[in-house]
Amino acid sequence: MHYKLALIGFGNVARSLARLLIRKQELLKSKYDITFSFTGISTGSHGFAVNPNGLDIEQALELAENGKDISSLSTFQVQDSLAVIQHSQADFMFENSPVDYETGQPAIDHVRAALNAGMHVSTANKGTVVHAYQELTELAKSKNKRFMFESTVLGGTPVFSTFREAMPLAELISFKGIINATTNLILSRMEEGESFDDAVKYCQGMGIAETDPSGDVDGWDASIKVAALATVLMDTPLKPQQVERTGIREITSEMIAKAKADDKRYKLVASAEWAGKVIKARVAPELVEPSSPLYGMMGSSTGLTFRTDVLPDYSITVSEREGMKGGPVETAYGLFSDFVNVVK
Amino acid sequence: MHYKLALIGFGNVARSLARLLIRKQELLKSKYDITFSFTGISTGSHGFAVNPNGLDIEQALELAENGKDISSLSTFQVQDSLAVIQHSQADFMFENSPVDYETGQPAIDHVRAALNAGMHVSTANKGTVVHAYQELTELAKSKNKRFMFESTVLGGTPVFSTFREAMPLAELISFKGIINATTNLILSRMEEGESFDDAVKYCQGMGIAETDPSGDVDGWDASIKVAALATVLMDTPLKPQQVERTGIREITSEMIAKAKADDKRYKLVASAEWAGKVIKARVAPELVEPSSPLYGMMGSSTGLTFRTDVLPDYSITVSEREGMKGGPVETAYGLFSDFVNVVK
């Protein structure tokens, strides 16, 4: 079986995905008899390319990484992402345009167009899940296609697929954890004596915090992830605005030093739980003790503990290691695993 | 679709499984249109019962829990587990006979018979995996059936299914963790000042250590689990005897007190990694520091960290909580999830 792929968004994540697909090409063929080609690419500022017979992906990667326009590879004149989707004749679309927390656009329109054109979709864009999960899932079902989003939370580490495939009919009672790597790294560096401003600058230098760091430090990113998790795993729509939210701006170096002296640590804790028939969701700094599973999560590590009706508390933790940090490569694996899970 | 079920072994785990199936009966029907009945039960010392039209499971549970023989429920005269399998006409067999570390018998014969009779199989018996994984998997494939064993490691918490379903084409480089709850509880209690002998007695009183505790304290149980994990997830047969093994008998109260004073802890650490073309596997006590993900795992908590080619270090931890400890109920969920994953 041959799959034609469209990449909407061609930043770090999408390019890592292309490289991962190329690296795993032989395994896909030998294990599942699957081959693929790239038939549409849409970039943020380096043009658009479509060729239903297959684009030269190595050349596209090279052009984009050297800041050059990719339009020269195209056999069509296309001017926007929707036209790329339309003309690519793809079977599977990867959506990686920038997140808009308020509306989820234009990603939602991209996903809609791809599903309507008979493509499966995988996205790393949290906006699509919190603003249109139900609509897009139903649209996909009506077309006998799949809408997938593994990489929206904890990078590409399996969370949604674990519940979907490995914990059937488990009832999720609550979850709690650290789901924003940037703030966790800031708090870790402050514990080593760095000021808040310097820690933010360090994260900006690494490329994991934006020029305006408020999405992370004010708890918005964590809130949108809590909303996505609750919406899908607790089967109840929850908007980021419904998450009670406190960021880390008020955690001073003095508070951190005092906590350390008491063998404790501040963590930006995200949680949701059933309170009667509504979900109570929260993002706020908490003092955690050494006995907490959150205590040992330092730097850009993230993790979640799930309470269900069938198992003792079940935790997933992702910790950076030499040669493999979180970020684009990890997120790319989430998109890749969505692809394999759909087509295998 | 209606499934006839055979229970070979009817101890705590199998009875918890029966209760879980009954509890989730309506959800199985509404979500997957699946119904079931129990057509064969084999107990260790309370007889055998077969009725292809369905046994009264509530009555069987009550008899077994009151130490009474279940043979009165049978419409056949059967004298052993193989006869139960033969006459049950079941579609799915759950194997929960006691583990024999050396040979894996008689569980392997039970699984073989069930597969040959056209049943799917799920087992909590580690012996079948380390002694016959390849044979039983191939036999199942040739019959278009499945051989499943989620609950052999970390109770019923998803490990094998996570790799199978949620981490497709990930290459496992190494794993490391705490996979024997009993020794972890012993070490935790010794840290609180209890002697080794008293801690062992406590575990025996709870029913999680045997009268002869050597399977746990000498590292055999952990070694067999390492062998099962490596055999399946690293796709390379590994026998428990090939695991370098040291138990916890030589860890004295003095050593534990000294470690505590240094902010460290002894843990019985199980690990396996590729060393060239062979797997180096080990079970041994290690001193761990607060920064280790193992440090916070106390009491009967267990967990594993997996290193792959596609993600940062990925850890799964299971921690007891009020009202939900590890043990039979958790293991039963592993068998249940195997069933749902096969039949859904």
Side-chain angles (χ1 to χ4, degrees):
Chain A
M1 183 75 188
H2 185 81
Y3 285 84
K4 296 183 174 184
L5 313 179
L7 301 173
I8 305 306
F10 200 50
N12 282 326
V13 169
R15 294 200 306 272
S16 293
L17 169 65
R19 294 201 188 285
L20 180 60
L21 280 160
I22 294 165
R23 179 160 78 81
K24 296 281 187 186
Q25 197 161 11
E26 284 177 29
L27 212 50
L28 277 165
K29 173 78 182 139
S30 64
K31 196 153 178 194
Y32 299 117
D33 201 24
I34 287 166
T35 58
F36 60 84
S37 56
F38 296 89
T39 59
I41 299 175
S42 164
T43 75
S45 50
H46 300 106
F48 308 91
V50 167
N51 182 349
N53 295 319
L55 292 158
D56 184 333
I57 186 67
E58 295 286 1
Q59 222 178 328
L61 287 165
E62 204 186 314
L63 287 168
E65 272 157 18
N66 289 304
K68 292 184 185 155
D69 199 285
I70 64 164
S71 311
S72 59
L73 304 175
S74 195
T75 53
F76 278 74
Q77 279 281 16
V78 283
Q79 307 277 356
D80 61 35
S81 294
L82 289 173
V84 171
I85 293 168
Q86 214 56 49
H87 295 288
S88 66
Q89 300 178 21
D91 308 294
F92 204 112
M93 189 271 269
F94 295 99
E95 215 293 334
N96 289 294
S97 66
V99 180
D100 180 301
Y101 291 145
E102 308 256 316
T103 66
Q105 289 293 14
I108 292 171
D109 283 344
H110 298 160
V111 176
R112 241 183 236 137
L115 291 171
N116 276 319
M119 304 172 196
H120 300 289
V121 171
S122 169
T123 182
N125 192 308
K126 296 175 273 285
T128 61
V129 179
V130 295
H131 293 291
Y133 169 68
Q134 206 171 357
E135 180 211 325
L136 296 173
T137 300
E138 279 168 16
L139 175 58
K141 213 172 172 181
S142 76
K143 302 284 177 184
N144 210 13
K145 299 294 159 190
R146 299 286 295 277
F147 167 54
M148 308 286 278
F149 40 80
E150 185 57 74
S151 41
T152 53
V153 178
L154 294 197
T157 301
V159 177
F160 295 111
S161 55
T162 297
F163 273 82
R164 197 177 59 231
E165 310 291 345
M167 294 181 69
L169 303 188
E171 191 185 309
L172 184 58
I173 299 164
S174 66
F175 63 84
K176 183 173 180 172
I178 296 170
I179 51 181
N180 177 272
T182 306
T183 44
N184 203 47
L185 183 52
I186 291 170
L187 293 171
S188 295
R189 293 184 71 87
M190 287 174 76
E191 194 175 310
E192 286 162 21
E194 202 165 75
S195 73
F196 174 81
D197 289 340
D198 285 344
V200 169
K201 270 179 207 144
Y202 176 84
C203 292
Q204 287 165 332
M206 273 183 72
I208 68 164
E210 308 284 326
T211 314
D212 172 6
S214 54
D216 291 318
V217 300
D218 292 335
W220 277 115
D221 174 78
S223 295
I224 199 170
K225 286 170 177 165
V226 167
L229 285 164
T231 298
V232 178
L233 299 180
M234 297 168 108
D235 205 15
T236 304
L238 188 81
K239 298 281 176 220
Q241 292 79 0
Q242 293 172 280
V243 179
E244 183 191 322
R245 181 182 49 80
T246 312
I248 62 164
R249 286 193 204 265
E250 283 165 32
I251 308 296
T252 62
S253 297
E254 291 68 35
M255 288 162 74
I256 286 176
K258 166 85 170 65
K260 194 177 177 181
D262 295 343
D263 255 346
K264 292 177 186 174
R265 251 170 208 158
Y266 282 99
K267 294 290 182 189
L268 185 64
V269 179
S271 64
E273 64 179 325
W274 283 107
K277 291 190 173 176
V278 297
I279 294 172
K280 214 179 126 192
R282 187 165 180 262
V283 170
E286 282 183 23
L287 262 182
V288 302
E289 316 223 358
S291 60
S292 160
L294 306 180
Y295 184 83
M297 291 185 207
M298 298 303 283
S300 64
S301 300
T302 51
L304 279 163
T305 298
F306 298 96
R307 181 158 291 187
T308 66
D309 66 328
V310 289
L311 289 175
D313 283 349
Y314 171 74
S315 306
I316 296 172
T317 315
V318 196
S319 24
E320 60 178 71
R321 68 172 199 255
E322 190 70 27
M324 179 66 86
K325 297 197 174 190
V329 172
E330 182 193 355
T331 306
Y333 179 68
L335 295 156
F336 174 83
S337 69
D338 279 348
F339 173 67
V340 180
N341 277 326
V342 168
V343 303
K344 79 179 182 193
Chain B
M1 182 76 187
H2 185 81
Y3 285 85
K4 296 182 173 183
L5 313 178
L7 301 173
I8 305 305
F10 200 51
N12 282 326
V13 169
R15 294 200 307 271
S16 294
L17 170 65
R19 294 200 188 287
L20 180 60
L21 280 160
I22 295 165
R23 179 159 78 81
K24 295 281 187 185
Q25 197 161 11
E26 284 177 30
L27 211 49
L28 277 164
K29 173 76 182 141
S30 64
K31 195 152 178 195
Y32 299 118
D33 200 23
I34 288 166
T35 58
F36 60 85
S37 56
F38 296 89
T39 59
I41 299 175
S42 165
T43 76
S45 50
H46 301 105
F48 308 91
V50 167
N51 182 349
N53 296 319
L55 293 158
D56 185 332
I57 186 68
E58 295 286 2
Q59 223 178 329
L61 287 165
E62 202 185 313
L63 287 169
E65 273 158 18
N66 290 302
K68 291 184 183 155
D69 198 285
I70 64 164
S71 310
S72 58
L73 304 175
S74 195
T75 54
F76 278 74
Q77 279 280 16
V78 283
Q79 308 277 356
D80 60 37
S81 294
L82 289 173
V84 171
I85 293 168
Q86 214 56 49
H87 294 289
S88 66
Q89 299 179 22
D91 308 294
F92 204 112
M93 188 271 269
F94 295 99
E95 215 295 333
N96 289 295
S97 67
V99 180
D100 181 301
Y101 290 145
E102 306 257 315
T103 67
Q105 289 293 15
I108 293 171
D109 283 344
H110 299 160
V111 176
R112 239 183 238 138
L115 292 170
N116 277 319
M119 305 173 196
H120 301 288
V121 171
S122 169
T123 182
N125 192 309
K126 296 175 273 285
T128 61
V129 180
V130 295
H131 293 292
Y133 168 68
Q134 206 171 357
E135 180 211 324
L136 297 174
T137 301
E138 279 167 16
L139 175 58
K141 212 171 173 182
S142 76
K143 301 285 176 184
N144 209 14
K145 299 293 159 192
R146 301 285 295 277
F147 168 54
M148 309 286 277
F149 41 79
E150 185 56 76
S151 40
T152 54
V153 178
L154 294 197
T157 301
V159 177
F160 295 111
S161 54
T162 297
F163 273 83
R164 197 178 59 232
E165 310 291 345
M167 294 181 68
L169 303 188
E171 192 185 308
L172 184 58
I173 299 164
S174 66
F175 63 84
K176 183 173 180 171
I178 296 170
I179 52 182
N180 178 273
T182 306
T183 45
N184 204 47
L185 182 51
I186 292 170
L187 292 172
S188 295
R189 293 183 71 88
M190 288 174 76
E191 195 176 309
E192 286 162 21
E194 203 165 75
S195 73
F196 175 82
D197 289 340
D198 285 344
V200 169
K201 270 179 207 143
Y202 175 84
C203 291
Q204 286 165 332
M206 273 183 72
I208 69 165
E210 308 284 326
T211 315
D212 171 6
S214 53
D216 291 317
V217 301
D218 292 335
W220 278 115
D221 175 77
S223 295
I224 200 169
K225 286 171 178 165
V226 167
L229 285 164
T231 298
V232 178
L233 300 180
M234 298 167 108
D235 206 15
T236 303
L238 189 81
K239 299 280 175 220
Q241 292 79 359
Q242 293 173 279
V243 179
E244 184 192 323
R245 181 182 48 81
T246 311
I248 62 164
R249 286 192 203 264
E250 283 165 32
I251 308 296
T252 61
S253 295
E254 291 69 36
M255 288 162 73
I256 286 176
K258 165 85 171 63
K260 193 176 177 181
D262 295 343
D263 255 347
K264 292 177 187 174
R265 255 173 204 155
Y266 282 98
K267 295 290 182 189
L268 185 64
V269 180
S271 64
E273 64 179 326
W274 283 108
K277 291 190 174 177
V278 298
I279 294 172
K280 216 179 125 192
R282 188 165 180 260
V283 169
E286 281 183 24
L287 261 182
V288 303
E289 317 223 356
S291 60
S292 160
L294 306 180
Y295 185 84
M297 290 184 207
M298 298 303 282
S300 65
S301 300
T302 52
L304 281 163
T305 298
F306 297 96
R307 181 158 293 186
T308 67
D309 67 328
V310 289
L311 289 175
D313 283 349
Y314 170 75
S315 306
I316 295 172
T317 315
V318 196
S319 24
E320 60 180 72
R321 69 173 199 254
E322 190 71 28
M324 179 65 87
K325 296 199 174 189
V329 173
E330 180 193 356
T331 305
Y333 179 68
L335 295 156
F336 174 83
S337 69
D338 280 347
F339 173 67
V340 180
N341 277 325
V342 167
V343 303
K344 79 180 181 191

